[in-house]
């Protein structure tokens, strides 16, 4: 786990990038899958992909794919260089195009693994948004496909490319805060009610069959199950734990230096609102690890409404007349904006050791405190470029250059799925990482996979 994250200094990384991207023949040809958007302002993770590739040298977005024609047209209009990209509705047609080297996936979660498997089979490298899988079976299959076809596959856990957060993890490996026994992840993010929307006709210009893909076609079309709000339904999303939360779950596991838990428990609920949402908006999770003779634990919490922060993660609570410090910008990149609303989010991580504690309070910063006196320790604020890191590995053909190689990404998504399973069955589950099953719990094991809607099936044999 250690060495892949600390291979290059900032100067070396950018120097390598300029060398590898120095000639037109080195141009990487990218297809962006899923533009995304909400309300009157089209945006989202797909737009972040477009903007990320637009600013890099010798990268050309040659194709765009989206099942919503409005989003597709908007995505095509954002491409800043090269020829106008080809426009597709069906991912399978994209994968037939021999001019494409890389596909960059920013679709709803339930499509991530199948698209990645298909792309690996077609000889493409893949940048896939988090979480890379919709269930634990898919987490196994996505890694198997990357290995079988020897493809470069990166999960969109961009905090892994932050130079400051890499430094924080290295400090913990080197013993800065002593024996790290506990990590804690916070996903305190304002999520208002989604209300209720009726079943209606599919909007013009939308291929809803392709949007559903592997998901069942049992509910009819409803706006609440479509753009963005698909996160809050089990058929297509994984709740906020698998939306914003997967970023902090990944950092919590990375910093703790563990892979799979032996025991997981989650309790929570959908509080305050009477609406269409299925997933919990408040969730408390606990994970127990026993690796290499060491017993460690991880906590994770999701809150959806007004809240305090912890340490420097989020705004401190203040009294009238007291100033509130600016909160470092974080987010999942596609949450609907709240104009005029003061930010009360607290997104980040805390690590506790025998000599002190450390927090990661944004996507690109950390602070530490040492000893019983909580004396200030090392701190830093420095970001990175996750798309650049991916393209470096595409050129070098060395997956160890990736900061969020798919095996690492898949391991973190397994924690998300296990916590959601515990919540859904209403009890603690015991996990066997050798068989990737819940021990002695047939009900829990039913949630390890899903019934796929043909022909959109993640195969048993990739």
């Amino acid at each position: 786990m250690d060495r892949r994250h600390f291979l290059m200094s900032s100067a070396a990384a950018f120097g390598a990038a300029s060398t590898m991207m120095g000639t037109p023949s080195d141009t990487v040809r990218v297809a962006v899958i899923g533009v995304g958007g909400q309300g009157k302002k089209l945006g989202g993770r797909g737009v972040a992909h477009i903007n990320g590739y637009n600013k890099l040298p010798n990268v050309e977005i040659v194709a765009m794919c989206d099942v919503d024609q409005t989003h597709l047209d908007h995505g095509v209009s954002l491409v800043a260089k090269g020829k106008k990209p080809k426009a597709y509705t069906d991912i399978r047609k994209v994968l037939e195009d021999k001019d494409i080297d890389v596909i960059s996936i920013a679709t709803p979660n339930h499509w991530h693994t199948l698209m990645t498997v298909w792309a690996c089979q077609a000889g493409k490298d893949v940048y896939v948004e988090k979480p890379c899988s919709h269930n634990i079976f898919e987490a196994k299959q996505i890694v198997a496909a990357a290995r079988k076809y020897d493809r470069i596959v990166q999960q969109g856990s961009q905090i892994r490319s932050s130079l400051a957060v890499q430094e924080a993890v290295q400090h913990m490996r080197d013993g800065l805060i002593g024996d790290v026994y506990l990590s804690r992840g916070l996903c305190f993010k304002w999520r208002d009610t989604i209300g209720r929307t009726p079943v209606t006709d599919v909007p013009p210009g939308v291929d809803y069959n392709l949007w559903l893909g592997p998901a069942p076609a049992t509910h009819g079309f409803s706006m609440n199950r479509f753009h963005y709000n698909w996160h809050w339904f089990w058929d297509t999303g994984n709740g906020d734990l698998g939306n914003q939360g997967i970023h902090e779950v990944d950092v919590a596991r990375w910093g703790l230096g563990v892979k799979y838990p032996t025991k997981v428990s989650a309790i929570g609920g959908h509080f305050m609102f009477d609406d269409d949402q299925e997933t919990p908006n408040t969730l408390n999770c606990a994970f127990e690890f026993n690796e290499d003779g060491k017993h460690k634990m991880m906590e994770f919490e999701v809150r959806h409404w007004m809240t305090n922060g912890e340490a420097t993660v989020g705004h401190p609570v203040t009294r009238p007349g007291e100033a509130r410090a600016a909160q470092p910008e974080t987010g999942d990149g596609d949450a609907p904006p709240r104009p005029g609303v003061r930010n009360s989010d607290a997104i980040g991580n805390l690590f506790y050791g025998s000599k002190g504690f450390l927090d990661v309070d944004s996507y690109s910063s950390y602070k530490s405190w040492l000893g019983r006196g909580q004396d200030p320790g090392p701190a830093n604020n420095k970001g990175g470029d996750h798309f650049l890191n991916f393209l470096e590995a595409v050129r070098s053909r060395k997956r160890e250059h990736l900061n969020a190689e798919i095996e690492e990404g898949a391991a973190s998504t397994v924690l998300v799925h296990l916590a959601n399973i515990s919540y859904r069955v209403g009890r603690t589950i015991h996990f066997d990482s050798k068989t990737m099953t819940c021990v002695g719990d047939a009900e829990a094991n039913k949630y390890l996979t899903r019934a796929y809607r043909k022909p959109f099936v993640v195969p048993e044999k990739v």
Side-chain angles (χ1 to χ4, degrees), residues 35-36 42-43 47 50 69-79:
V35 176
L42 291 173
V47 171
I50 295 167
Q69 189 64 46
T70 300
H71 291 179
L72 182 58
D73 293 342
H74 179 63
V76 168
S77 74
L78 294 177
V79 176

Side-chain angles (χ1 to χ4, degrees), residues 185-438:
L186 309 182
C187 177
F188 302 168
K189 189 156 191 171
W190 186 279
R191 303 290 189 188
D192 210 338
T193 181
I194 64 172
R196 295 189 181 276
T197 60
V199 173
T200 62
D201 293 335
V202 176
V206 172
D207 190 323
Y208 193 54
N209 177 59
L210 285 177
W211 188 91
L212 283 172
T218 54
H219 300 284
F221 180 87
S222 170
M223 286 305 297
N224 259 351
R225 289 180 173 268
F226 196 38
H227 293 322
Y228 196 77
N229 283 344
W230 55 261
H231 282 293
W232 321 130
F233 297 89
W234 294 117
D235 284 344
T236 50
N238 305 94
D240 221 9
L241 183 62
N243 181 22
Q244 174 63 60
I246 178 59
H247 287 296
E248 288 68 47
V249 167
D250 183 59
V251 173
R253 186 185 67 81
W254 177 28
L256 198 58
V258 294
K259 191 167 186 180
Y260 294 123
T262 56
K263 186 164 63 175
V264 180
S265 182
I267 60 171
H270 180 218
F271 296 102
M272 293 176 50
F273 308 133
D274 179 14
D275 58 20
D276 288 334
Q277 182 168 338
E278 294 176 349
T279 60
N281 58 20
T282 305
L283 196 65
N284 286 350
C285 313
F287 305 83
E288 185 176 277
F289 300 86
N290 290 285
E291 294 184 5
D292 301 324
K294 291 187 177 181
H295 180 212
K296 299 183 179 183
M297 69 176 290
M298 171 180 150
E299 300 172 344
F300 200 89
E301 191 169 354
V302 175
R303 298 179 193 169
H304 77 293
W305 206 241
M306 305 163 202
T307 183
N308 57 292
E310 296 183 17
T312 61
V313 179
H315 291 297
V317 175
T318 58
R319 292 185 290 251
E322 291 181 331
R324 297 181 69 162
Q327 166 70 355
E329 183 177 349
T330 62
D332 56 14
D334 55 354
R338 295 180 287 127
V341 177
R342 186 163 60 179
N343 181 16
S344 63
D345 297 348
I347 309 294
N349 292 85
L350 300 102
F351 298 90
Y352 299 90
S354 57
K355 296 180 181 179
F357 65 98
L358 179 150
D359 76 10
V360 174
D361 55 9
S362 79
Y363 280 22
S364 59
S365 61
Y366 77 94
K367 299 176 181 67
S368 61
W369 296 264
L370 305 177
R372 293 187 67 179
Q374 298 187 11
D375 299 320
N380 201 354
N381 188 339
K382 186 175 289 187
D385 193 320
H386 208 48
F387 293 107
L388 174 61
N389 170 251
F390 169 63
L391 293 172
E392 288 171 352
V394 167
R395 295 178 183 283
S396 72
R397 308 313 302 165
K398 294 182 182 296
R399 66 173 182 259
E400 60 267 26
H401 289 174
L402 290 169
N403 289 333
E405 203 276 329
I406 196 60
E407 185 173 347
E408 283 291 290
S412 293
T413 67
V414 166
L415 271 63
V416 167
H417 302 319
L418 288 173
N420 276 334
I421 291 171
S422 174
Y423 166 77
R424 295 179 80 176
V425 300
R427 58 181 169 271
T428 297
I429 56 176
H430 298 265
F431 186 63
D432 183 343
S433 60
K434 293 181 179 178
T435 61
M436 298 292 279
T437 59
C438 302

